[in-house]
Amino acid sequence: MNPRILVALALVGTACSGEDHLYKASIRWTSWGIPHIEAQDIPSAAYAQAYAFARDGACILADQIVKVRSERARFFGPGEANANLDSDFTHLTLDVYGRAEAGFDAQPQDIKDLIVAYVAGYNDFVSTEGDTLPCAGEPWLRPIDEIDLFAHYVELGTLASSRALADYIATAAPPGSMIRGSADPAPLSRLARSKPGSNGWGIGAQRSTEGRGMLLANPHFPWQGELKLWESHLRVPGELDVYGVGLLGVVGVLIGFNEHVAWTHTVSDGQRFTFYKLTLDPANPTRYLYDGAYRDMESQTFTIDVLQDDGSITQTNRTMWHSHYGPLLNLSPFGWSNEVAFTYRDANIDNIKLIAQFHGMNRATSMDELQEVHAREQGIPWVNTMATSALGETWYADTTPTPNLSAAALAAWDEARKSEFFTQALAANDAVLLDGSNSLFEWVDDPDARDPGLIAFANVPQLERDDFIYNANDSHWLSNPAEPLVGYSPMHGFERTPRTPRTRMNMRTLTEMGPGTASGTDGKFDLAELQAAALSNRGMIAELVRDDLVARCQGVDTVAYLNPDTNVTEHVAISAICDAIAGWDLRLDLDSPGAVAFREFIGEYPYRELFDAGVMFSEPFDPEDPIETPNTLAAPAGEETDFALEALAGASLRLAKAGIAVDATLGQTQYTKKGDRRIPIHGGGRPEGVTNLIDYDVLMTYLEAPMSRGEVINELTGLTTEGYVVNYGTSFIMTLQYTDDGPNATAFLTYSQSSNPESTHYADQTAEFSGKRWRPILWTDEDIRADEQEFRFLVVD
């Protein structure tokens, strides 16, 4: 045991009594493995938070430190298709570690103290109790320092920018100098797909039974890897009392509440970077045109250590290239030719305000103060903010770092989207491509912005209401349909454009009022109604077309269908699947026969068809009625075969291939894996338009095998030969209502608190989420002490 620490296993006093020490805090673990920390000061709270976190997730953070230090190849070898080499060279060329050194030095002293304390807590757990971890004994489980941790924060800040482009950065090389052995870059379609989702609602005094604020936090994030969330409660008498979740290894609370304000986040639809197309010198592909003259690219050769199969260490090097905008890219499928290359500029690569931003939010004592933190720090990395207060105020804002382009540049880009091949290709994948040869497309500096080239806080979309605000990953436009936000830069996202089915379901749920609706006869939510709405598992597409579909398919026995697996037209019986959908209760609950059948019916349609009139809908999108349009199941044109009936045939064949009956329930077919255990999971995917998003996606860099799921039969719906396997979606879901007696909240951490398979808290909350058994969040000292499962008293001199 580390001699610096006194660890008392029984209650010996309170953390805030007695003489001061370097760090002094108590940790009370309650049911579900939640640590409630009371400390003598804020650095002591950070120390104890890290100590508690390390029990559940130290191995994941240790792996991430290896990554940002560009040591993956040193510890794990080159990796499959040189993946570890690619990771190391990417983080070197991004100068993640150098940026961390400069960024940490620039922090105010109170933030430095927080980070140093967190590092100390993590290191002390690893040194005293590291043998209890799954990675115990691994050489990469080692002490870290404050620069290591800050490098982790720098890299997390680029989730929606440089991290998303890592595959393209790693393999960028001039023609004739191919980097051999590296994996092919991901297709452009991955850019849009890799954005995490979420729902966030702020309910104001007008729509709350208590006349105070309410919050639904529902981030959709991975259930594996470093982007999982971890729950804690931090208390420093007179200074701090905040509860919520944060990303692994991040000090403080990123989504949560205190006595005065509560907030959540959803990934912003706006741009965190812009691509640039470079016109190259015909005589030299490392020179590019800029305002009529050629510029030389910059290059730097890096050398890394690589573990070999025999245990020896060798070295390898790679030359990486930059334009004045940023790194060069091997942008699939265009690559780097003798005529054209691609590069980008990142709005978040210099964001060093992450911890200061959230530390300020954790301590905010009013909505005004919460907003002041956003204006002062401008450190939110890639998410919208939805907030509510004990007084019943609500606030939506997209304060993410966003490129500031001139009106002329925006107009030229908009025109290029209609005609220029490369610009169109990138726009189709939710990305912006600009002409790198023209200074017109440089970002415009604003002295009020956090960094040069960004939109200042005063010009970002934001809205205050006393009824509600929300976001479900579409743009700011309809944060409340009664007061559309218009006139903002399209770099924040488009206005007056079709919304996703999930956004429409959010809007319908929030705007409906009266008997049988989510907010009931009085149109005001209480906590039970908010819980029911959050997990209602209604599907927008089903509510729009199910009845039309049933009317169309009843009485039809078979349909001619061209089977894409065999390229042979078959006559497929559809009466059974029609009956299953006709009897469905329109919920994606575990015991709802017909939900799977309707999911696979939608799975026959391209996802883009769910946004406007076409193959799915006959009535087009109307920006004056964005909740209810598009709608109405499209009828066959003339003598054409009815696509809706063909879709039922395709759904029947796919389900048969998976060995699933057309009247199967989600409880029989959709589940997550916890060790050898399969836990049924309710909810649905993107095409269905369900708020409780449940899906499969691999969005992690942690060196852990993704959850296995068999042969994929339908990528859009996630159907495989093992059914629907879940490793992504609703993660920390919290409902909160402020009352005269303070906050009253309930929650699930769907994948459970601990990442250690040996922990009793590895799957406990997952089972509760499966059964929709909300657990109370313990806030008062009385409730915490009554539920105490384990106690630690930490003193560091």
Side-chain angles (χ1 to χ4, degrees):
M1 179 169 289
N2 190 324
R4 293 186 337 123
I5 312 171
L6 168 66
V7 181
L9 301 181
L11 181 60
V12 296
T14 67
C16 300
S17 63
E19 61 181 299
D20 287 344
H21 298 263
L22 177 59
Y23 304 122
K24 182 164 66 171
S26 66
I27 308 174
R28 286 184 169 82
W29 280 276
T30 57
S31 297
W32 320 110
I34 311 302
H36 301 262
I37 293 160
E38 185 171 349
Q40 70 175 3
D41 51 36
I42 291 177
S44 294
Y47 174 91
Q49 185 187 36
Y51 197 95
F53 155 74
R55 169 192 286 194
D56 296 319
C59 295
I60 297 176
L61 180 59
D63 167 88
Q64 293 300 289
I65 300 304
V66 171
K67 179 185 74 176
V68 297
R69 290 182 62 164
S70 295
E71 295 177 339
R72 279 270 169 88
R74 173 188 168 191
F75 284 104
F76 306 116
E80 184 177 355
N82 282 346
N84 293 336
L85 296 179
D86 290 350
S87 174
D88 289 346
F89 285 121
T90 295
H91 290 95
L92 284 170
T93 200
L94 290 173
D95 195 22
V96 169
Y97 212 78
R99 293 177 191 277
E101 290 176 324
F104 181 80
D105 285 345
Q107 299 302 303
Q109 190 60 48
D110 62 330
I111 302 301
K112 288 183 178 178
D113 291 344
L114 270 181
I115 295 169
V116 168
Y118 195 93
V119 166
Y122 171 88
N123 286 340
D124 284 346
F125 179 89
V126 169
S127 67
T128 58
E129 301 187 58
D131 58 354
T132 65
L133 296 170
C135 58
E138 295 289 350
W140 45 269
L141 180 66
R142 55 191 170 161
I144 65 173
D145 64 27
E146 59 272 16
I147 307 303
D148 294 331
L149 190 61
F150 205 85
H152 176 52
Y153 298 160
V154 169
E155 199 270 341
L156 279 175
T158 68
L159 176 66
S161 48
S162 288
R163 181 195 274 222
L165 302 177
D167 287 346
Y168 310 122
I169 297 169
T171 58
S177 56
M178 180 183 294
I179 298 171
R180 298 186 180 277
S182 297
D184 292 333
L188 287 176
S189 59
R190 180 65 183 172
L191 290 175
R193 176 73 179 178
S194 65
K195 290 183 179 180
S198 300
N199 309 308
W201 302 354
I203 308 294
Q206 187 186 129
R207 296 291 305 277
S208 168
T209 56
E210 294 283 331
R212 295 180 177 274
M214 304 181 73
L215 187 80
L216 168 64
N218 183 200
H220 300 150
F221 258 60
W223 292 21
Q224 291 182 277
E226 74 278 6
L227 295 180
K228 293 197 300 183
L229 297 165
W230 183 81
E231 196 168 349
S232 63
H233 182 188
L234 308 176
R235 179 181 291 163
V236 178
E239 293 190 65
L240 178 71
D241 195 355
V242 64
Y243 188 108
V245 293
L247 292 169
L248 303 186
V250 179
V251 61
V253 166
L254 305 188
I255 292 175
F257 66 94
N258 60 33
E259 185 181 354
H260 310 284
V261 289
W263 66 92
T264 188
H265 301 291
T266 61
V267 173
S268 168
D269 186 47
Q271 303 297 327
R272 307 285 78 79
F273 65 93
T274 56
F275 287 120
Y276 287 92
K277 178 170 72 80
L278 303 180
T279 301
L280 303 181
D281 181 347
N284 184 347
T286 65
R287 287 163 51 84
Y288 61 99
L289 193 66
Y290 185 80
D291 281 353
Y294 284 108
R295 288 189 174 191
D296 291 324
M297 297 177 187
E298 296 181 359
S299 67
Q300 187 172 359
T301 300
F302 298 98
T303 301
I304 60 172
D305 292 336
V306 184
L307 179 67
Q308 303 300 302
D309 290 342
D310 63 2
S312 65
I313 299 290
T314 63
Q315 291 188 322
T316 190
N317 58 61
R318 187 179 296 182
T319 300
M320 310 296 289
W321 296 84
H322 284 244
S323 71
H324 75 281
Y325 299 109
L328 269 290
L329 301 168
N330 179 16
L331 196 59
S332 177
F334 312 125
W336 181 342
S337 72
N338 287 306
E339 296 80 28
V340 175
F342 297 87
T343 184
Y344 76 103
R345 182 174 176 182
D346 188 337
N348 258 320
I349 193 67
D350 293 316
N351 184 357
I352 62 172
K353 293 283 194 172
L354 179 75
I355 303 305
Q357 172 74 45
F358 286 100
H359 182 54
M361 292 170 65
N362 289 178
R363 301 184 69 188
T365 61
S366 67
M367 183 66 78
D368 286 346
E369 195 169 310
L370 187 80
Q371 294 170 350
E372 288 168 6
V373 172
H374 281 74
R376 180 180 70 248
E377 304 295 349
Q378 299 182 53
I380 293 287
W382 25 260
V383 288
N384 302 288
T385 298
M386 281 67 56
T388 191
S389 75
L391 299 179
E393 306 148 302
T394 69
W395 180 57
Y396 160 84
D398 181 2
T399 64
T400 46
T402 302
N404 188 24
L405 293 173
S406 68
L410 290 171
W413 168 69
D414 190 53
E415 189 62 29
R417 289 194 305 128
K418 303 171 186 175
S419 57
E420 202 276 325
F421 169 74
F422 291 112
T423 307
Q424 286 182 317
L426 271 296
N429 292 283
D430 295 341
V432 172
L433 176 66
L434 303 174
D435 182 357
S437 69
N438 190 340
S439 61
L440 171 70
F441 296 100
E442 295 280 6
W443 299 359
V444 179
D445 292 349
D446 185 326
D448 294 327
R450 185 202 73 212
D451 287 319
L454 302 182
I455 294 176
F457 174 79
N459 299 321
V460 303
Q462 50 184 305
L463 179 66
E464 291 186 70
R465 301 277 300 187
D466 67 357
D467 54 354
F468 73 87
I469 49 84
Y470 86 102
N471 184 266
N473 306 116
D474 274 313
S475 76
H476 55 274
W477 175 40
L478 297 177
S479 300
N480 185 302
E483 191 176 351
L485 291 171
V486 295
Y488 294 92
S489 168
M491 295 299 102
H492 282 295
F494 292 110
E495 300 160 3
R496 297 179 64 81
T497 54
R499 306 289 94 174
T500 65
R502 178 164 56 87
T503 288
R504 295 174 68 188
M505 190 75 257
N506 275 263
M507 286 194 289
R508 178 177 274 190
T509 303
L510 285 164
T511 56
E512 289 178 332
M513 286 188 279
T517 65
S519 57
T521 303
D522 61 359
K524 297 184 178 184
F525 286 95
D526 61 26
L527 191 61
E529 287 171 329
L530 192 61
Q531 291 171 343
L535 297 182
S536 68
N537 287 329
R538 297 168 61 184
M540 187 68 186
I541 302 301
E543 293 187 6
L544 290 170
V545 306
R546 192 280 298 267
D547 291 347
D548 290 344
L549 176 63
V550 170
R552 190 92 51 91
C553 68
Q554 285 184 327
V556 178
D557 294 327
T558 61
V559 173
Y561 177 78
L562 180 62
N563 190 331
D565 290 341
T566 62
N567 203 31
V568 173
T569 298
E570 303 178 25
H571 291 277
V572 180
I574 66 166
S575 56
I577 195 170
C578 181
D579 289 345
I581 293 172
W584 179 34
D585 63 3
L586 297 181
R587 303 293 173 127
L588 286 107
D589 285 330
L590 294 180
D591 58 353
S592 297
V596 170
F598 191 82
R599 170 181 293 173
E600 290 307 316
F601 160 75
I602 301 175
E604 192 76 4
Y605 291 80
Y607 185 54
R608 65 179 181 274
E609 291 295 329
L610 305 181
F611 292 82
D612 212 338
V615 179
M616 169 67 81
F617 297 114
S618 62
E619 294 298 317
F621 167 73
D622 179 357
E624 303 304 321
D625 189 14
I627 302 176
E628 298 303 323
T629 62
N631 61 47
T632 310
L633 188 65
E639 299 299 319
E640 293 181 7
T641 304
D642 191 336
F643 191 91
L645 299 184
E646 289 184 323
L648 287 176
S652 295
L653 291 178
R654 283 194 299 276
L655 289 170
K657 183 176 181 178
I660 295 173
V662 294
D663 60 352
T665 65
L666 282 178
Q668 296 169 318
T669 59
Q670 181 169 276
Y671 56 92
T672 194
K673 299 179 180 180
K674 284 290 189 175
D676 296 330
R677 184 180 179 188
R678 294 185 174 188
I679 301 176
I681 301 294
H682 48 83
R686 290 172 174 84
E688 291 155 289
V690 59
T691 57
N692 180 25
L693 178 67
I694 295 297
D695 204 352
Y696 183 96
D697 201 357
V698 179
L699 186 59
M700 66 175 179
T701 62
Y702 179 48
L703 293 184
E704 173 187 22
M707 198 177 293
S708 63
R709 62 167 181 163
E711 176 191 350
V712 176
I713 297 172
N714 188 337
E715 188 66 53
L716 182 62
T717 65
L719 180 65
T720 76
T721 51
E722 295 183 7
Y724 303 97
V725 179
V726 175
N727 76 342
Y728 179 95
T730 291
S731 52
F732 175 69
I733 181 168
M734 177 180 73
T735 57
L736 174 144
Q737 184 169 35
Y738 282 108
T739 72
D740 292 345
D741 297 321
N744 181 19
T746 60
F748 300 103
L749 191 58
T750 56
Y751 36 74
S752 302
Q753 176 83 330
S754 180
S755 298
N756 187 343
E758 300 302 316
S759 171
T760 57
H761 305 301
Y762 179 67
D764 53 353
Q765 288 195 66
T766 311
E768 297 304 293
F769 176 69
S770 175
K772 294 188 182 181
R773 295 181 291 269
W774 291 86
R775 64 169 178 82
I777 286 177
L778 304 180
W779 174 251
T780 68
D781 191 62
E782 179 183 4
D783 289 341
I784 294 165
R785 289 178 182 273
D787 190 55
E788 183 181 303
Q789 309 293 310
E790 184 181 350
F791 179 87
R792 294 287 177 92
F793 184 49
L794 306 176
V795 177
V796 180
D797 290 314

